[in-house]
């Protein structure tokens, strides 16, 4: 048995406690909390700073890891997509697998315990089969033409089956501007029948706002340039979320990702439609692509829990939830550290449905234990991460 303590422990109640020792098995399971005076001091390893659970990365595109440093920054959403398509296939399968392994190791080193990972391909199957991290794979469905919905859906089902043979997986719609009604319905029906969490890229850019006004702006220009037929994507002058909200799952956990241009009315409407609503922010990706952040004060006013994602190495310089929190803190220093850590741990575990083992330093769990060196609740910007115990994988 290992006995560890620190100046502060971000405990199972999502608050900082002191004067406690955590008893941890050699495999990382939390066995007990003990008053520090009840444990032989010679047995206790004390860390300077704080102990927190492993991070939950709710939104990642691991299969884009080979694009690190290849996509120009701050080009806007349509510029980003153009660069992504131009570079995505300029690499061998072997090089992609190496990039995937390096990206996963980066997440492990940065204390990430579980990942909600977007997949369009099978390329991450070998990596996920090794079970080095917990993954829920979101099979991202894209299809704008009603006439090929059934054909597209059968392809998505094949991917879902392949990933479900490893572990948790299910379909998700990509975004309001890239999924026609028929494909939305297939995803919604499947997810609700299987009680699967669903993520959705929502109101990520001004381009998306303009597209749903009258099919103008960067997305429309992109479609015309690449001769994509978007006739079946219907717009009516409302914004994207208001247009497609009823097409999203109503009874399962629903994650709205990015929400950079979302309003209070949007959040309220979404929560009224689905009270299992979660919000996800990927701040470094927002800055990388459009050089703007959401209004987090508005997010905090909402009832929906907030979660954190890294997005991909195509749109980020690294895969670190801690760095995402520091980015939020820099722009919003009034948000308490305990709140930020809740976004990065228990909220994400709740969305993915994995709180039995992840998200908090609770007895019986193996959530991963991170040491934030020399951090205090009010002074943490220079803290460094040390992973003391790895999380359970499955």
């Amino acid at each position: 048995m290992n006995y560890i303590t620190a100046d502060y422990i971000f405990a199972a109640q999502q608050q900082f406690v002191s004067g406690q020792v955590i008893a941890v098995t050699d495999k990382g399971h939390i066995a007990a909390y003990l008053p520090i005076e009840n444990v032989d001091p010679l047995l206790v390893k004390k860390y300077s700073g704080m102990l927190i659970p492993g991070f939950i990365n709710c939104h990642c595109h691991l299969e884009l890891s080979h694009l690190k440093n290849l996509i120009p920054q701050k080009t806007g959403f349509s510029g980003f997509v153009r660069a992504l398509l131009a570079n995505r296939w300029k690499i061998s399968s072997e090089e992609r697998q190496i990039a995937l392994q390096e990206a996963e190791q980066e997440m492990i080193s940065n204390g990430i315990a579980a990942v909600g990972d977007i997949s369009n391909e099978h390329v991450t199957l070998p990596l996920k089969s090794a079970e080095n991290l917990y993954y829920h794979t979101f099979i991202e469905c894209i299809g704008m033409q009603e006439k090929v919905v059934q054909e597209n859906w059968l392809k998505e089902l094949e991917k879902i089956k392949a990933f479900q043979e490893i572990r948790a997986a299910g379909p998700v719609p990509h975004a309001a501007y890239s999924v026609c009604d028929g494909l939305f319905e297939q995803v919604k029906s499947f997810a609700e029948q299987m009680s699967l969490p669903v993520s959705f890229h929502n109101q990520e850019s001004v381009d998306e706002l303009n597209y749903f006004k009258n099919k103008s702006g960067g997305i429309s220009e992109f479609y015309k340039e690449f001769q994509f037929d978007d006739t079946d994507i219907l717009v009516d002058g409302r914004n994207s979320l208001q247009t497609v909200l009823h097409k999203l799952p109503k009874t399962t956990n629903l994650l709205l990702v990015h929400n950079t241009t979302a309003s209070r009315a949007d959040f309220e409407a979404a929560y009224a439609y689905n009270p299992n609503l979660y919000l996800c922010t990927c701040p470094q990706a927002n800055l990388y692509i459009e050089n703007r952040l959401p209004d987090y004060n508005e997010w905090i006013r909402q009832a929906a829990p907030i979660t954190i994602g890294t997005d991909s190495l195509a749109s980020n310089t690294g895969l670190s939830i801690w760095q995402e929190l520091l980015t939020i803190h820099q722009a919003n220093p009034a948000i308490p550290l305990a709140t930020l850590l809740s976004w990065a741990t228990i909220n994400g575990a709740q969305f993915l449905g994995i709180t039995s083992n992840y998200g908090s330093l609770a007895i019986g769990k193996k959530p991963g234990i991170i040491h934030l060196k020399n951090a205090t609740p009010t002074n943490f910007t220079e803290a460094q991460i040390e992973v003391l115990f790895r999380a359970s994988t499955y």
Side-chain angles (χ1 to χ4, degrees):
M1 191 69 68
N2 303 277
Y3 297 94
I4 61 174
T5 189
D7 300 312
Y8 303 92
I9 298 172
F10 191 59
Q13 295 78 24
Q14 307 308 306
Q15 59 187 6
F16 296 111
V17 300
S18 299
Q20 294 285 305
V21 172
I22 307 176
V24 188
T25 70
D26 290 340
K27 293 186 176 181
H29 288 95
I30 297 173
Y33 276 80
L34 304 166
I36 195 167
E37 60 269 18
N38 291 357
V39 185
D40 184 345
L42 295 177
L43 298 178
V44 178
K45 172 67 175 178
K46 182 174 181 180
Y47 294 90
S48 175
M50 64 179 61
L51 303 179
I52 65 172
F55 295 121
I56 311 298
N57 184 357
C58 272
H59 185 76
C60 185
H61 294 256
L62 193 60
E63 66 189 20
L64 302 181
S65 298
H66 63 290
L67 297 176
K68 184 177 183 179
N69 298 325
L70 293 181
I71 309 296
Q73 297 187 32
K74 301 177 178 59
T75 61
F77 182 72
S78 57
F80 168 77
V81 175
R82 283 183 174 86
L84 189 152
L85 292 179
N87 289 280
R88 183 164 186 168
W89 311 113
K90 293 182 178 179
I91 192 170
S92 69
S93 298
E94 292 77 13
E95 289 172 310
R96 288 192 76 182
Q97 289 301 321
I98 292 171
L100 287 170
Q101 292 168 10
E102 291 175 347
E104 181 182 69
Q105 185 55 53
E106 181 178 351
M107 288 195 287
I108 291 170
S109 298
N110 286 324
I112 292 172
V115 185
D117 186 53
I118 301 290
S119 289
N120 302 107
E121 313 169 59
H122 293 84
V123 67
T124 58
L125 272 169
L127 186 80
K128 292 171 181 174
S129 296
E131 298 189 347
N132 294 316
L133 283 174
Y134 178 95
Y135 289 100
H136 184 112
T137 301
F138 295 112
I139 305 301
E140 188 172 69
C141 299
I142 300 175
M144 297 188 292
Q145 295 182 298
E146 296 289 355
K147 64 183 180 182
V148 291
V149 164
Q150 195 58 32
E151 177 184 343
N152 286 342
W153 180 239
L154 290 175
K155 293 177 182 178
E156 304 302 343
L157 285 175
E158 187 273 329
K159 294 178 203 171
I160 294 166
K161 180 180 179 181
F163 280 97
Q164 283 184 336
E165 288 177 356
I166 299 174
R167 193 53 62 171
V172 299
H174 169 250
Y177 53 83
S178 59
V179 179
C180 66
D181 285 3
L183 190 54
F184 261 121
E185 182 54 39
Q186 294 283 12
V187 172
K188 178 180 180 180
S189 177
F190 190 99
E192 290 188 335
Q193 288 179 19
M194 302 297 291
S195 298
L196 294 170
V198 168
S199 75
F200 178 68
H201 293 87
N202 179 59
Q203 294 169 298
E204 185 175 356
S205 66
V206 174
D207 283 340
E208 186 171 335
L209 290 179
N210 290 332
Y211 183 82
F212 276 84
K213 285 180 182 177
N214 53 18
K215 287 194 175 179
S216 65
I219 292 175
S220 181
E221 293 168 3
F222 170 79
Y223 284 167
K224 290 175 183 176
E225 178 182 341
F226 287 86
Q227 298 182 330
F228 292 158
D229 183 357
D230 65 344
T231 305
D232 293 335
I233 304 296
L234 304 178
V235 304
D236 56 12
R238 296 181 296 168
N239 70 32
S240 56
L241 185 62
Q242 292 169 0
T243 301
V244 304
L245 185 57
H246 68 284
K247 306 172 189 178
L248 296 170
K250 193 173 185 177
T251 60
T252 66
N253 287 354
L254 174 62
L255 187 73
L256 300 184
V257 183
H258 294 304
N259 312 298
T260 316
T261 62
S263 68
R264 180 179 304 184
D266 292 324
F267 290 137
E268 290 174 350
Y271 190 78
Y273 174 77
N274 185 339
N276 302 304
L277 181 73
Y278 291 77
L279 307 177
C280 181
T281 183
C282 306
Q284 296 208 129
N286 294 149
L287 293 173
Y288 192 106
I289 296 172
E290 292 213 317
N291 198 29
R292 64 183 294 174
L293 291 174
D295 181 356
Y296 293 115
N297 291 320
E298 187 59 59
W299 288 40
I300 292 170
R301 295 187 187 102
Q302 307 307 315
I306 298 169
T307 68
I308 307 291
T310 62
D311 216 311
S312 74
L313 286 174
S315 58
N316 205 333
T317 57
L319 300 176
S320 168
I321 294 295
W322 180 242
Q323 287 302 316
E324 303 292 339
L325 297 186
L326 292 179
T327 298
I328 296 171
H329 171 73
Q330 184 175 14
N332 302 263
I335 301 176
L337 178 59
T339 298
L340 294 175
L341 290 176
S342 294
W343 294 1
T345 57
I346 191 63
N347 289 5
Q350 288 171 347
F351 165 66
L352 292 174
I354 56 173
T355 54
S356 62
N357 204 46
Y358 299 88
S360 64
L361 297 179
I363 295 172
K365 293 186 179 184
K366 187 184 175 184
I369 301 178
I370 300 170
H371 172 213
L372 289 181
K373 297 181 183 178
N374 301 316
T376 74
T378 57
N379 186 4
F380 52 85
T381 57
E382 301 299 322
Q384 294 181 324
I385 288 175
E386 178 185 11
V387 178
L388 303 182
F389 292 92
R390 289 276 301 277
S392 170
T393 50
Y394 295 102

